[in-house]
Amino acid sequence: MNMSIKRFSVGFLAVIAAVVGIWAGFFPLSFHNEFPLPGWGWVSRLGPYNEHVVRDYGLSNVALLIITTWAWLRPDEKVYRVVGGGRLAYSVIHFIWHMLHLSAFPTVSRVGAVVSLSLIVVFSLLPMLPDRSRRAAEAP
């Protein structure tokens, strides 16, 4: 896996963290009622509004945004592995929870949740993969 793909992955994760983090952290009722798009209400289908929980989720993503952006600005193999590992731990648990609760959604939302959460898992894994180009350059 080359560094440009890893850097793109880390940037993608930062953008997702920014959108979700700012929306849920600073506009929790709107996030609860409207995420991922107005009228869809994925979060509201999972239970009653709890400002504390939604803000905590959002601000956790703001923390991930800060760490992920820092990594994006300093492209380094080790930094990408650490950030990817942390993001992977977070995103796999989030993915599993949502896969166990898909029954609350209509089919189009189920597909959307599976695809979007799968992408986040994949983009968390990519920065952790070995750099083939570097390994080839070091070969005798």
Side-chain angles (χ1 to χ4, degrees):
M1 183 66 47
N2 71 32
M3 284 296 281
S4 62
I5 293 172
K6 292 181 181 194
R7 191 159 197 253
F8 177 82
S9 297
V10 170
F12 173 84
L13 293 169
V15 169
I16 297 300
V19 171
V20 171
I22 292 168
W23 191 0
F26 297 99
F27 308 97
L29 183 58
S30 170
F31 183 84
H32 179 266
N33 292 333
E34 304 295 335
F35 182 84
L37 296 167
W40 287 50
W42 286 4
V43 179
S44 62
R45 289 179 178 272
L46 297 170
Y49 176 63
N50 182 321
E51 180 181 355
H52 178 198
V53 171
V54 176
R55 278 192 196 275
D56 279 0
Y57 171 73
L59 296 174
S60 294
N61 272 277
V62 170
L64 288 171
L65 167 63
I66 292 166
I67 293 165
T68 307
T69 301
W70 177 84
W72 185 81
L73 292 170
R74 290 163 181 77
D76 176 80
E77 193 76 27
K78 290 178 185 176
V79 170
Y80 281 178
R81 284 192 182 142
V82 170
V83 169
R87 295 299 308 249
L88 187 63
Y90 175 85
S91 61
V92 166
I93 293 166
H94 191 138
F95 175 85
I96 291 169
W97 190 92
H98 279 284
M99 295 309 103
L100 296 173
H101 296 89
L102 287 174
S103 63
F105 302 106
T107 302
V108 69
S109 292
R110 288 179 189 181
V111 171
V114 171
V115 169
S116 62
L117 293 169
S118 295
L119 282 173
I120 294 170
V121 170
V122 168
F123 277 90
S124 297
L125 181 62
L126 290 176
M128 298 174 60
L129 297 177
D131 187 352
R132 289 186 189 170
S133 62
R134 193 178 89 165
R135 192 183 305 160
E138 292 173 353

